[in-house]
Amino acid sequence: MRKWLLILMLIALCNSPVAVQAQCSICTKTAAQLGEKPAKGLNLGILYLALTPMALMGFIGYRWWKRNGQA
């Protein structure tokens, strides 16, 4: 049951209509000078680069949680 709940939460999160802004203040200022289309590309690049470390941390955390017993 928990597995399906987690899957449904991930699907809902991925289909969220809210635009994600993954830029620091310096990147935001740079993107504003580039224009709208390059700014969107920069934002997607930042999200793409952040995906791998977040996925690894999530996998390690999940394995740790499973190994130490489910609370």
Side-chain angles (χ1 to χ4, degrees):
M1 181 67 179
R2 287 184 186 180
K3 178 181 175 182
W4 290 107
L5 181 62
L6 179 64
I7 291 171
L8 287 174
M9 287 174 57
L10 288 174
I11 290 172
L13 184 64
C14 291
N15 291 327
S16 176
V18 178
V20 177
Q21 296 296 326
Q23 297 177 355
C24 65
S25 60
I26 296 170
C27 294
T28 302
K29 191 173 184 179
T30 303
Q33 294 172 352
L34 294 174
E36 186 170 332
K37 204 167 189 181
K40 285 184 179 181
L42 178 64
N43 194 31
L44 285 175
I46 292 169
L47 290 174
Y48 176 73
L49 290 172
L51 180 67
T52 303
M54 293 296 182
L56 283 172
M57 287 190 301
F59 177 73
I60 291 169
Y62 175 75
R63 292 291 303 252
W64 189 353
W65 175 68
K66 288 294 265 186
R67 184 175 299 240
N68 289 331
Q70 300 169 3

